[in-house]
Amino acid sequence: MLFNIETERLILRPFLASDNEAMFAMDSNPNVHRYLGNEPITTIEQCDQYIKAIQKQYQQNGIGRFVVQIKDTQEIIGWAGLKFITEPENNHVNFYDIGYRLSEAYWGKGYGYEVAKAWLDYAFNEMKISAVYAIAHNENIGSNKILQKIGMQQNGQYLHDDIKCNWYELQNKNITL
């Protein structure tokens, strides 16, 4: 059921338990968590639990966040993907959220745009989803630019855990409701 997605420079694939060290290296960096509530992880066990939760999403929803690897080196540089959100968020429930997180060394190199675009294309062309949503911290200039560059429209702001977030959405023009 699960699959890989390839872009020009990257492979997007499902998480394996063995990806925990690469995720720990990324998610223990305070700079990575600057716009995520400033709560970097502190143990590898937290990564193990995170990966298990994502794998559960694969089973329940057939989709979730995927590992991002550089094709040439197989280096894991983060995650990206679609998550089916079943808890209320900004007065929405049961929607697909596009998200991504990259190791700091790979910021500003176009990888965020590359993975976001690949997942948006997959959502609309393969899954035939009618709309995709995204959330970005109001001050996270890089992430807001990526979402705008892939065509998402900011449709308001709201508070998430006392953090001012921008709410984005994009309707699939190939689907009539």
Side-chain angles (χ1 to χ4, degrees):
M1 171 75 187
L2 289 178
F3 52 89
N4 291 350
I5 295 176
E6 290 193 26
T7 68
E8 182 181 335
R9 302 178 291 171
L10 304 169
I11 297 170
L12 313 175
R13 63 156 177 85
F15 268 93
L16 304 172
S18 58
D19 296 324
N20 62 354
E21 289 183 22
M23 289 302 106
F24 181 77
M26 177 183 68
D27 275 328
S28 62
N29 179 343
N31 292 333
V32 171
H33 281 261
R34 179 176 177 196
Y35 299 114
L36 302 171
N38 288 317
E39 294 181 16
I41 63 168
T42 57
T43 68
I44 196 87
E45 289 78 21
Q46 288 173 289
C47 285
D48 294 337
Q49 293 305 312
Y50 182 72
I51 290 170
K52 286 177 185 174
I54 290 172
Q55 291 171 332
K56 187 176 180 181
Q57 291 170 13
Y58 299 156
Q59 294 169 353
Q60 291 175 336
N61 305 310
I63 199 72
R65 309 300 196 198
F66 278 36
V67 167
V68 177
Q69 280 184 305
I70 296 179
K71 275 186 187 178
D72 295 343
T73 65
Q74 300 301 301
E75 183 177 2
I76 296 172
I77 65 168
W79 60 254
L82 296 171
K83 181 177 180 182
F84 188 66
I85 307 291
T86 58
E87 298 295 320
E89 182 78 35
N90 192 31
N91 299 315
H92 288 72
V93 68
N94 296 330
F95 64 92
Y96 289 94
D97 168 81
I98 192 165
Y100 42 85
R101 185 177 304 164
L102 299 175
S103 296
E104 184 177 13
Y106 297 94
W107 295 351
K109 300 180 184 316
Y111 293 119
Y113 169 77
E114 195 169 327
V115 298
K117 181 77 170 107
W119 278 109
L120 183 66
D121 291 345
Y122 186 84
F124 283 172
N125 299 320
E126 301 299 324
M127 293 179 69
K128 309 296 186 201
I129 294 171
S130 62
V132 174
Y133 299 86
I135 303 157
H137 188 291
N138 185 50
E139 296 175 10
N140 188 339
I141 295 168
S143 192
N144 282 283
K145 282 184 179 179
I146 289 168
L147 295 173
Q148 292 164 7
K149 189 173 180 182
I150 66 169
M152 298 196 79
Q153 302 295 314
Q154 185 178 341
N155 189 9
Q157 292 182 328
Y158 73 107
L159 289 178
H160 176 83
D161 296 334
D162 296 324
I163 298 170
K164 187 184 273 188
C165 295
N166 294 330
W167 177 261
Y168 288 89
E169 66 180 79
L170 185 61
Q171 300 294 318
N172 187 346
K173 292 180 177 54
N174 298 323
I175 294 180
T176 54
L177 300 176

